[in-house]
Amino acid sequence: MSASTSFAPVRLRPRSTLVLLLASAVGLAGFGWPFLVATPAGTGASHGQDAAYLFVALLPLLLGLVWAELGDGGMDVKAVAMLGVLAAAGAGLQTLSPGTGGFDPAFFLLVVAGRVFGPGFGFALGVVAMLATSLLTGGAGPWLPFQMIGLAWVGLLAGCLPAASGWAERGLLAAYAGLSGFGYGALLNLWFWPAAAYLPNGAAYVPGASLGTNLHHYAVFYATTSLGWDTARALLGGVLVLVAGRPVLATLRRAGRRAAFTAGRDSGTEPG
């Protein structure tokens, strides 16, 4: 069996799955309230006020995920060390190009690491890498918790992609890197879009309006303001996977095998 199909040092156990679902529920509430909550007309607030509460809610849940994996045997100290190394590497890449023009090389590392080490590891890596980046660059702000959960979902879903190897795997990852680049950008806009009073009527959030109306307005806003930015992220992520995916995937799998993570895994050959 190919190593790409089953190598997952962080296996989601029942307790860690519950914690991950709770963290995702917090994130969904933070991102989705403009569409899910019927706010009265004439209101609409930025997440600048509630972002601190979201941040406080997410950190214990992340620690709970790691604790649950340690307690259940799904993650050992070597896997935690790998998480720290990759988070530091992602933060370093981010400082080279901190989202300028949509170019985000750290996105590539998150996608391949989530693929190799599994959804739980990818989720944790997204949160820790973004937190480390904010500490290095001084870029902490009300947007930080939304960036953390957004990247966590990118890493999580990378670990849930179907089995593949060789060029098929790299093509799958390149397509995912592209699609998730657009999805991540569309999510992140939601932290400030409801309070963007400078927007024209057809692209602004309308408190009290129907779900369909606000979805349409957001689609117009995204297409006219963020689509080009996110296209750069999507293209860079996909190209990096195609160009550098093979050696990076092989290196991460080799490092995982040599570290002998205690979580079960199937042996196999590296992809072609």
Side-chain angles (χ1 to χ4, degrees):
M1 180 180 296
S2 170
S4 65
T5 62
S6 59
F7 184 79
V10 180
R11 295 191 182 278
L12 286 174
R13 309 299 176 95
R15 283 194 298 176
S16 55
T17 299
L18 176 61
V19 175
L20 190 151
L21 290 174
L22 289 174
S24 293
V26 171
L28 285 174
F31 282 118
W33 73 264
F35 307 115
L36 303 176
V37 178
T39 56
T43 64
S46 168
H47 289 304
Q49 297 177 347
D50 57 45
Y53 299 103
L54 184 63
F55 183 78
V56 169
L58 285 176
L59 280 185
L61 289 171
L62 171 65
L63 294 176
L65 173 64
V66 177
W67 175 81
E69 288 296 331
L70 286 170
D72 289 343
M75 179 187 253
D76 65 4
V77 293
K78 295 176 183 177
V80 174
M82 179 68 76
L83 177 67
V85 169
L86 291 176
L93 287 173
Q94 192 80 355
T95 60
L96 298 177
S97 178
T100 303
F103 290 98
D104 192 349
F107 213 78
F108 158 71
L109 181 62
L110 177 63
V111 168
V112 295
R115 170 66 173 179
V116 172
F117 295 122
F121 190 98
F123 185 92
L125 178 60
V127 175
V128 176
M130 182 50 66
L131 181 60
T133 298
S134 70
L135 295 176
L136 279 177
T137 63
W143 53 84
L144 176 59
F146 300 94
Q147 290 175 320
M148 290 166 60
I149 193 66
L151 280 186
W153 285 337
V154 171
L156 168 71
L157 294 177
C160 296
L161 294 173
S165 62
W167 274 106
E169 180 183 37
R170 294 193 290 279
L172 177 67
L173 288 178
Y176 173 73
L179 291 174
S180 60
F182 288 112
Y184 175 76
L187 273 178
L188 261 293
N189 289 335
L190 290 174
W191 87 265
F192 70 89
W193 174 66
Y198 55 86
L199 295 174
N201 291 335
Y205 172 66
V206 181
S210 66
L211 172 64
T213 296
N214 275 323
L215 283 174
H216 173 72
H217 285 198
Y218 183 69
V220 173
F221 165 77
Y222 179 76
T224 56
T225 61
S226 300
L227 184 59
W229 184 284
D230 294 340
T231 298
R233 179 190 297 112
L235 287 175
L236 178 65
V239 169
L240 284 176
V241 169
L242 294 176
V243 172
R246 179 178 181 178
V248 175
L249 286 166
T251 298
L252 292 180
R253 286 174 174 137
R254 188 179 302 113
R257 286 196 296 272
R258 290 180 178 176
F261 293 113
T262 57
R265 68 187 187 280
D266 297 332
S267 61
T269 60
E270 295 174 13

